[in-house]
Amino acid sequence: MPASLREPTAPHRAAPRTSPLPSPGEATALLDAYRPGTDRFLASSRQTLLASGTAAEVPLDERPLAVRVREVLDARRRVGDAAPIVVGALPFSPDAPPSLAVPLSVRRAPALCEDPLIALPGPSAEPGTWQTREVPAPADYAASVAAAVRRMRAGEFDKVVLARTLELTSSHDLDLPAMLRRLARHDPKGYTFAVPSGPGRTLVGASPELLVARAGNTLTANPLAGSAPRSDDLAEDVRRAATLLESRKDLHEHAVVVAAVREALAPFCVRLDVPERPTLVRTAAMWHLSTTVTGTLADPGASSLDLASALHPTPAVCGTPTDTARAVIAESEPFDRGAYTGMVGWQDARGDGEWVVTIRCAEAEGRSLRLFAGAGVVAASSPEAETAETGAKFRTFLSAVGAAL
């Protein structure tokens, strides 16, 4: 397969392997052991992590997030925790409380994609009745996109990411462990997660996008921007991939994001490598333009959360200029994003860690699920195409719960 049509990869190594020769079933055992409420599950293309219990929580106050996390980790080391980490989710809004905690115990395994048992069929979605409600309705969403396009063509701003939600209510109790297993098997090379996001709420999803990872003095970021739905027909699927690689609209959208990532990370680095052209990555539902950025840190004290905080929110999930895009989002979206387009991940006391952009996700509460999907809107955008793109992005999660749009 050409390099431009590769699977998502993560060139960094976020954590040491647990053994030189991993045994079949190590990673899937952690996936099967996940229990909502008490556990936090994270799987990347480099490792699988299951954190249980809560030893300490990261508070919300006026100090920078990275400082608060460092203080909590240092406090845990002083009471005898030899290798504490924080795990959890951060919201889109910087003023909202984090859902980050130091677990009582952590189990690690190699990547799910390296476990041959992940290829075995997962649990089928249980039959049930789903009530669905789109917020906003597709026509209203398209109207918001059209209004944003008019403002961009008038020169007010360059890009905004507008989202919509799909609210699902089930006739039976949600089986979150089974839902997580289906998501993981659907795309074992992606970033699968299930973490508490508030009292009685769980954030569950499978993101294709690494925000940033730090391993020693090396950082990696993998911004995605510019997308096209996959096709079940092989010839049509390849045509869509090739078209995306040459799309002026999508290449411009991607370039805006990569430039912002370069600008945010450059002050931390003595070296920063940014490829001139994007490649493609694929998920089960979408093609994405992708650029893998790597760098060498100038200050070894810069933690993964220092880097993530400098990046968040990128134009891939917000827009540019950031403040204007945030205002347009607040005016256009009739819901609170919560953890959607925030970040989910982990960091240890050395500052190493990995943080993923919280997309292709849903928030579960009781018998309800709220799914989120967004599209990057630029001056060349079509309201119909962006509405269709959000519908395609919903498919990742709908297939995991046995529902249809």
Side-chain angles (χ1 to χ4, degrees):
M1 176 177 291
S4 61
L5 301 183
R6 63 182 175 84
E7 296 282 1
T9 59
H12 66 284
R13 181 161 300 282
R17 291 189 182 280
T18 55
S19 61
L21 296 173
S23 302
E26 279 189 83
T28 50
L30 297 190
L31 178 64
D32 293 339
Y34 165 75
R35 294 295 178 267
T38 59
D39 291 349
R40 295 167 175 86
F41 179 89
L42 298 170
S44 73
S45 59
R46 291 296 178 180
Q47 70 160 347
T48 305
L49 183 154
L50 181 66
S52 300
T54 300
E57 294 184 337
V58 176
L60 174 65
D61 58 40
E62 71 283 351
R63 294 172 299 163
L65 174 66
V67 172
R68 285 177 273 149
V69 167
R70 191 176 297 117
E71 182 178 276
V72 170
L73 290 172
D74 287 345
R76 290 300 304 165
R77 287 204 291 188
R78 286 196 296 271
V79 298
D81 191 340
I85 66 169
V86 291
V87 186
L90 292 160
F92 174 68
S93 171
D95 300 323
S99 296
L100 291 176
V102 179
L104 290 171
S105 64
V106 179
R107 297 163 61 191
R108 296 180 189 264
L112 280 172
C113 60
E114 296 177 4
D115 189 333
L117 299 190
I118 198 65
L120 296 177
S124 299
E126 295 184 8
T129 301
W130 292 95
Q131 294 180 342
T132 64
R133 186 168 76 101
E134 297 178 70
V135 180
D140 294 333
Y141 177 79
S144 294
V145 172
V149 167
R150 288 193 296 271
R151 294 175 65 179
M152 281 183 280
R153 290 177 179 174
E156 288 189 43
F157 53 96
D158 298 319
K159 176 184 176 180
V160 66
V161 178
L162 295 180
R164 63 188 182 110
T165 70
L166 183 63
E167 297 178 356
L168 304 179
T169 303
S170 176
S171 59
H172 55 80
D173 293 338
L174 302 179
D175 188 345
L176 291 181
M179 196 179 299
L180 180 68
R181 292 196 293 272
R182 286 192 292 271
L183 284 167
R185 283 178 162 82
H186 202 52
D187 187 12
K189 291 187 178 181
Y191 300 91
T192 306
F193 52 87
V195 298
S197 56
R201 299 193 304 275
T202 299
L203 180 71
V204 58
S207 174
E209 184 170 2
L210 173 70
L211 179 65
V212 70
R214 196 202 91 160
N217 67 344
T218 301
L219 68 85
T220 306
N222 185 205
L224 307 182
S227 306
R230 300 288 306 276
S231 173
D232 294 331
D233 178 82
L234 178 59
E236 173 61 16
D237 195 43
V238 172
R239 187 195 69 79
R240 292 182 184 184
T243 299
L244 181 61
L245 268 177
E246 301 301 326
S247 166
R248 292 182 63 184
K249 175 261 182 188
D250 290 287
L251 287 170
H252 169 68
E253 179 185 341
H254 188 80
V256 168
V257 175
V258 172
V261 170
R262 184 202 302 266
E263 182 179 357
L265 293 180
F268 293 93
C269 297
V270 293
R271 178 192 60 81
L272 191 65
D273 294 331
V274 184
E276 291 185 5
R277 284 186 59 85
T279 59
L280 287 176
V281 297
R282 61 185 180 182
T283 67
M286 302 294 295
W287 287 104
H288 298 282
L289 292 176
S290 164
T291 295
T292 298
V293 177
T294 57
T296 302
L297 292 173
D299 177 6
S303 70
S304 65
L305 269 170
D306 285 315
L307 303 172
S309 297
L311 285 168
H312 178 70
T314 72
V317 297
C318 181
T320 185
T322 301
D323 290 343
T324 304
R326 279 191 182 276
V328 174
I329 288 169
E331 296 165 8
S332 305
E333 295 179 356
F335 55 86
D336 182 356
R337 286 192 177 189
Y340 171 66
T341 61
M343 48 184 164
V344 61
W346 66 273
Q347 179 181 296
D348 65 21
R350 296 170 298 184
D352 287 347
E354 55 186 342
W355 297 93
V356 177
V357 182
T358 313
I359 52 177
R360 308 299 188 278
C361 63
E363 193 166 55
E365 184 173 13
R367 292 187 171 185
S368 297
L369 281 171
R370 171 174 275 187
L371 283 62
F372 300 86
V377 181
V378 294
S381 290
S382 156
E384 295 76 19
E386 306 301 356
T387 304
E389 180 178 318
T390 56
K393 289 175 177 175
F394 280 137
R395 291 203 329 247
T396 297
F397 216 94
L398 290 172
S399 64
V401 300
L405 181 59

